[in-house]
Amino acid sequence: MSNPVDQIFVVTAFDLNECGVLIPSYKPAQPESEKDAIALASALAGKHAGVIAWSKPAGGTTKKVLFQRGDVGELE
């Protein structure tokens, strides 16, 4: 399934640093579909302090959480 032109999907995983501060584990991934975003986030959930998958309309600002586990801080 390909990404509809009007949607952006993002998956970000987080870990705690040595001071207990939540930090991104790596650069956010941009899967091609909602299904791929949820599958990736689910696979990462047991390996990190937190993981989130979200989508938004291309050019838009309103983000929709597709999957969330653990501590991910504030969604900006």
Side-chain angles (χ1 to χ4, degrees):
M1 182 187 309
S2 63
N3 177 13
V5 176
D6 60 344
Q7 285 291 329
I8 296 170
F9 302 97
V10 178
V11 176
T12 306
F14 298 88
D15 289 311
L16 297 174
N17 69 11
E18 57 278 346
C19 297
V21 176
L22 197 63
I23 57 170
S25 300
Y26 47 82
K27 185 177 177 182
Q30 292 189 317
E32 292 187 11
S33 69
E34 180 175 333
K35 180 180 175 182
D36 291 345
I38 292 169
L40 177 57
S42 180
L44 293 171
K47 301 174 185 172
H48 298 279
V51 64
I52 189 167
W54 55 267
S55 67
K56 72 172 189 161
T61 58
T62 304
K63 296 176 183 176
K64 175 185 171 189
V65 175
L66 306 172
F67 180 98
Q68 181 177 342
R69 291 289 185 278
D71 194 359
V72 298
E74 297 287 323
L75 182 61
E76 297 177 3

